[in-house]
Amino acid sequence: MSKDAPLYGVAVSPTTPVANGPITQREIECLQCLARGASNEEIATALGISVSTVAMHLRNARIKMGATTREHAVALAVTQKLISI
């Protein structure tokens, strides 16, 4: 999938965040684990959820924040003081 492909039928760009509500606590927990270098599998084990659920939480957080990558989402979360590293 190209980075310009629409997600959920909506074109997403880093300058146009999708307003799907606030970042959830679970999305923050997944971002925190990701910031510490954990893989999706490690996050799933730590939080007691499936790998696909981790991917969904990270994707939703990225979209809500208007981030282009997982790393960008982590950087934005740190900048916004949602997580710490």
Side-chain angles (χ1 to χ4, degrees):
M1 176 183 272
S2 79
K3 71 175 189 171
D4 297 308
L7 299 173
Y8 305 110
V10 177
V12 178
S13 78
T15 58
T16 311
V18 176
N20 286 340
I23 302 292
T24 67
Q25 184 61 41
R26 199 55 129 178
E27 291 164 352
I28 291 170
E29 291 168 351
C30 289
L31 285 168
Q32 182 68 62
C33 291
L34 186 63
R36 293 185 177 149
S39 67
N40 282 11
E41 292 79 12
E42 292 167 330
I43 297 169
T45 299
L47 299 180
I49 57 179
S50 72
V51 174
S52 61
T53 301
V54 170
M56 177 197 65
H57 287 313
L58 291 172
R59 181 182 63 242
N60 288 345
R62 183 178 54 78
I63 291 168
K64 289 175 184 180
M65 298 174 81
T68 55
T69 65
R70 293 158 45 110
E71 295 80 5
H72 186 200
V74 167
L76 289 173
V78 169
T79 301
Q80 295 172 15
K81 299 188 188 313
L82 296 173
I83 64 171
S84 61
I85 52 173

